[in-house]
Amino acid sequence: MSLSTSDSIPSHSLAAFGWDEHWAAEFTPYRAQGLVPGRVVRVDRGHCDVITADGVIRADTAFVTPHDPLRVICTGDWAAVDPGGDPRFVRTYLPRRTAFVRSTSSKRSEGQILAANVDHAVIAVSLAVELDLGRIERFLALAWESGAQPIVVLTKADLVPDATGLSYLVDDVQHTAPGVQVLPVSSHTGLGMDVLAAVVSSGTTVLLGVSGAGKSTLANALTGEEVMEVQEARDVDGKGRHTTTTRNLLALPGGGVLIDTPGLRGVGLWDAGTGVGQVFSEIEELAEGCRFHDCAHESEPGCAVLAALADGSLGERRLESYRKLLRENQYIVAKTDARVRAEIRRDWRRKHAEGRAAVEAKRGRVR
C-alpha cells in the first residue's frame, strides 16, 4: 500500500501513526462534514494532543465526554477534529478495533480505558525483583481481553548474569503465559532489543507494567531518543516513582507506534472472562473433561481439574490464581449486570441448601 498523500491517506506523517485504508473508509462520512482526521497522542484535563496531516494540534474534548467513562476519548483513538476555530474541538472518534480496560480503584462500578486501537501489548516485568506470577497473569488477562496480542518482556536481564538461572526464570513465565512470547531484554547490554524492535515495528504497541518495570527505558531504547524521563527504582522492592504520568503515543523510527503508560499500582479486571480463560487455557481444556458442565472444580466427583491437581500435572498456585481471578471478574460483572447478580444469589442459596442438607444428614447418622 502506498503511503503517498491522497484522499484516503492524508500524509506520510499520519500514515506513520497507523492511518490506513480501513480508517480512511471509516472516516468518509466525517470528511463529508468538513472534519479532518487525527490520532490522539495524549489526553489530559479535558484536552488532548492530536496528530493531524498538518502537525500536532491541541483540541478540547467537551463533545466526547459522556457519562460512560469507557466512552471518553483516550490515547490511540482516531478522532474527527474541527478544521479550524479557536478553540479546536474533537467532535467524535472512530469505532475502536481494540480497547484496554481495567476496573477503577473506586467503589463505583466503573471501568477505566487505558488505550485504544492496540495490536501488541508489551507487559514489562523487572528481573530486579522476585517474579510475581499472579500479577503477570492479571496483565495477561487484561491484554487478551482487549483483543491485542500480548508479549511478556523480562527487563533488566543483565542483573541475572547466570544463563541457566535466566532460562529458569523464562521457563517459569512461559508456563504462566501459554501461547505468549516471553523475551528477556536488557537496555543496558542490548540483549533481546533487536527482537523486540522487530515485534513492535508494525501496528500499535502499548507498554504495560508497574512502576519501576523499565517501561520508560524501553521506550527510549525503541525510539532511539530520550523521550521519557527515567528514574531509579528503589533497591528494597524494585518500585519506582511514576516517571510517566500520562499515556503518550510515539512513532517509532523502524515503523510502528508505541504507547507508553503510567505504572499501574492496581490491575483490576473489568468483564475479562474471555481473557482469564485465555490465560488459563490448560485449565479450561481440562474442565471440558469434567463430569458436570457447571463444575466449580472444588469438590465435585469426576472433576478433571482436581484430578490433574492430584496427579501433579496442574500446580496448586496456578489453580488458586485461576479461581481468584474468576471470582474477582464475576464480582465486577455482577456489579453492573442484574442478571448475573441474580444467578450468583441462586447459586449461593443452592450451595447453602446443599451444605445444610449435608449437616442434617450427618446429624441423622450420628443419632
Side-chain angles (χ1 to χ4, degrees), residues 6 22 67-68 88 100 111 115 137 140 166 192 235 246 260 307:
S6 67
H22 164 83
H67 294 298
D68 184 352
R88 308 286 288 274
F100 276 83
E137 288 161 345
L140 287 169
L166 181 59
D235 290 336
T246 58
D260 188 20

Side-chain angles (χ1 to χ4, degrees), residues 304-320:
V305 174
L306 293 180
L309 182 67
D311 67 23
S313 57
L314 175 64
E316 186 172 352
R317 187 212 66 82
R318 185 83 168 149
L319 179 57
E320 283 303 313

Side-chain angles (χ1 to χ4, degrees), residues 13-214:
S13 61
L14 202 54
F17 282 85
W19 186 262
D20 57 23
E21 299 292 349
H22 164 83
W23 295 118
E26 291 283 341
F27 195 79
T28 299
Y30 303 109
R31 189 182 300 281
Q33 298 172 27
L35 302 176
V36 297
R39 194 163 195 193
V40 178
V41 298
R42 187 171 180 267
V43 179
D44 67 287
R45 299 179 182 179
H47 291 77
C48 62
D49 295 334
V50 182
I51 180 72
T52 70
D54 296 322
V56 178
I57 64 171
R58 186 75 168 165
D60 195 309
T61 63
F63 284 94
V64 283
T65 308
H67 294 298
D68 184 352
L70 297 182
R71 299 185 65 186
V72 300
I73 199 159
C74 73
T75 303
D77 272 325
W78 282 102
V81 187
D82 286 333
D86 185 19
R88 308 286 288 274
F89 284 96
V90 172
R91 293 293 173 175
T92 188
Y93 60 84
L94 302 184
R96 294 160 175 160
R97 286 176 173 171
T98 60
F100 276 83
V101 181
R102 69 164 178 173
S103 64
T104 62
S105 57
S106 69
K107 294 183 180 179
R108 294 177 295 179
S109 303
E110 293 182 351
Q112 177 190 22
I113 186 162
L114 301 177
N117 302 314
V118 173
D119 302 291
H120 313 288
V122 169
I123 301 167
V125 179
S126 173
L127 290 179
V129 293
E130 186 176 353
L131 286 176
D132 186 336
L133 299 179
R135 179 180 287 153
I136 293 173
E137 288 161 345
R138 282 178 169 273
F139 274 111
L140 287 169
L142 184 74
W144 280 123
E145 190 67 32
S146 76
Q149 171 66 47
I151 173 175
V152 179
V153 172
L154 303 179
T155 65
K156 308 179 185 181
D158 55 287
L159 299 181
V160 187
D162 177 53
T164 301
L166 181 59
S167 68
Y168 286 150
L169 292 172
V170 172
D171 285 345
D172 286 344
V173 178
Q174 285 177 332
H175 283 98
T176 300
V180 176
Q181 182 178 6
V182 179
L183 180 65
V185 305
S186 170
S187 301
H188 179 66
T189 66
L191 172 69
M193 290 304 300
D194 55 339
V195 178
L196 180 59
V199 170
V200 303
S201 64
S202 63
T204 298
T205 300
V206 65
L207 286 175
L208 300 170
V210 298
S211 297

